[in-house]
Amino acid sequence: MAREMVTGALSVVITGASAGVGRATALAFARRGWNIALIAREAEGLEDARREVAMAGARRVITLPLDVADAAAVEEAAERVARSFGGIDVWVNNAMVTVMSPVAAMSPEEFRRVTEVTYLGQVHGTMAALRQMRQRDQGVIVAVGSALSYRAIPLQSAYCAAKFAVRGFMDSLRVELLHDRSRIRLTMVQLPAVNTPQFEWARNRMGERAQPVPPIHQPEAVGEAIFAAAVQPKREVWLGWPTLKAILGGMAVPGLADRILARQGYSSQLTGEALPAGRQDNLFRPVAGPHRTRGRFSSRASSRVHAIEPTLLRAVIGGAVLALPALAWMAGRRSGARHRIGS
């Protein structure tokens, strides 16, 4: 299946595709000649992305302006893509919104909106993709996650909660597909900090411009990693050493991680620059105009990202943990032997 996907003119649907990671992912598929459906809210931004994706080598490109919080619209889009391309081979759930704010300064409506897009948007996309993929009993659904789906940070409580929820949803669905002996595959790609325009567009109650928590990575590298995860799906992929550090550190010493984030979590996400006058955010309405792949942090962003498969890592850690009792027993035997000789 992986070889077919790389060489054939198959089809992919990408949400949040007009900018940032979604647009970079679309370009990665385009360079391999795929049929591509782009989903985002803002029609002009989508059209701008369509032109770039077509020039990059996509076989066919269609745009679907819609809000992933609208389940019926997502379902209709999936049906249209399946008719146009003869099926859906890969669906990438990437759309997201966030709010930079302490919990105390947020409204219930803001929490609801982040949840509807960042969590339920992935649920809606997955359900729509499954209805099409089940007809052929094949396909791959990619959930774009984050290190923050394991280790929550201050000022993004709604976003972190949504990403945690996506991980739980995917784990539950994966078991159901195994139970059904389905050939449909799921993978979740946990992202590091990425240089995208979202930091200019996110609703911000902090009075300062936001930034990704360094070290920062370019979206093109992340897009290539998402493509690789789609064509050779593993249960989960962690991108970047910072993601590995955040996840394992949060698991091993959560209290220490809390204290570090209490000291550094605010300043690491803020630049000290005042927010521009008249700034618009994209929480309830899209930002108008042409969209971009990169944000404004290119001078600080790495063009490479390491993909880490946690299954192997867990096996190593698990083996070490299981070996500890045996090592302790052997150490005790040696100690006892030395004691007997000494006596």
Side-chain angles (χ1 to χ4, degrees), residues 22-47:
R23 187 161 176 159
T25 302
L27 290 168
F29 280 92
R31 286 189 285 270
R32 280 81 173 186
W34 282 53
N35 295 319
I36 302 175
L38 306 174
I39 291 177
R41 289 176 294 171
E42 212 277 317
E44 185 179 351
L46 266 183
E47 177 57 23

Side-chain angles (χ1 to χ4, degrees), residues 37-319:
L38 306 174
I39 291 177
R41 289 176 294 171
E42 212 277 317
E44 185 179 351
L46 266 183
E47 177 57 23
D48 185 61
R50 185 200 65 77
R51 289 191 293 266
E52 185 177 13
V53 168
M55 289 178 62
R59 184 166 184 177
R60 292 176 58 197
V61 188
I62 60 175
T63 59
L64 300 152
L66 62 90
D67 188 337
V68 295
D70 184 341
V74 175
E75 178 69 30
E76 184 179 343
E79 292 173 358
R80 179 182 164 190
V81 173
R83 288 195 304 268
S84 298
F85 294 157
I88 298 172
D89 297 291
V90 173
W91 186 292
V92 180
N93 285 309
N94 168 72
M96 53 75 63
V97 292
T98 188
V99 178
M100 295 289 298
S101 171
V103 172
M106 288 182 64
S107 68
E109 291 74 23
E110 289 170 334
F111 272 101
R112 183 179 301 112
R113 178 61 180 163
V114 173
T115 303
E116 287 173 346
V117 175
T118 307
Y119 170 52
L120 290 178
Q122 295 226 24
V123 174
H124 299 158
T126 299
M127 293 177 72
L130 283 173
R131 288 190 185 96
Q132 302 303 321
M133 291 177 178
R134 281 192 172 113
Q135 297 177 29
R136 297 183 297 161
D137 191 28
Q138 67 180 37
V140 178
I141 299 172
V142 181
V144 176
S146 168
L148 306 187
S149 70
Y150 282 91
R151 174 63 248 186
I153 62 175
L155 304 183
Q156 293 201 64
S157 56
Y159 177 83
C160 293
K163 289 298 187 182
F164 269 70
V166 170
R167 185 161 61 89
F169 169 70
M170 292 291 281
D171 286 351
S172 182
L173 174 59
R174 184 180 293 106
V175 176
E176 293 178 10
L177 292 174
L178 286 169
H179 173 270
D180 296 341
R181 301 183 186 277
S182 172
R183 294 192 300 159
I184 298 168
R185 302 290 299 278
L186 306 180
T187 185
M188 190 167 185
V189 183
Q190 312 296 6
L191 270 54
V194 187
N195 175 34
T196 73
Q198 68 152 312
F199 299 93
E200 301 306 306
W201 294 342
R203 178 160 292 190
N204 186 332
R205 297 194 181 281
M206 301 307 297
E208 298 179 32
R209 297 179 85 172
Q211 67 175 2
V213 178
I216 305 168
H217 301 78
Q218 293 289 26
E220 292 87 352
V222 172
E224 286 291 328
I226 292 172
F227 172 81
V231 299
Q232 293 185 325
K234 308 293 192 298
R235 175 192 179 93
E236 195 173 356
V237 179
W238 298 350
L239 296 187
W241 300 115
T243 298
L244 175 69
K245 179 181 174 182
I247 294 174
L248 294 186
M251 289 178 176
V253 283
L256 176 61
D258 288 345
R259 291 191 291 275
I260 291 172
L261 285 167
R263 291 195 302 269
Q264 303 174 4
Y266 281 57
S267 59
S268 64
Q269 297 184 77
L270 301 170
T271 66
E273 306 165 273
L275 289 174
R279 176 185 182 276
Q280 295 181 326
D281 69 62
N282 71 343
L283 184 60
F284 291 99
R285 299 176 196 80
V287 175
H291 290 190
R292 308 183 311 280
T293 302
R294 294 185 177 186
R296 65 189 189 95
F297 304 99
S298 287
S299 63
R300 300 161 52 194
S302 171
S303 59
R304 299 183 65 182
V305 66
H306 297 283
I308 302 156
E309 188 183 339
T311 302
L312 299 176
L313 185 64
R314 291 187 182 107
V316 172
I317 294 172

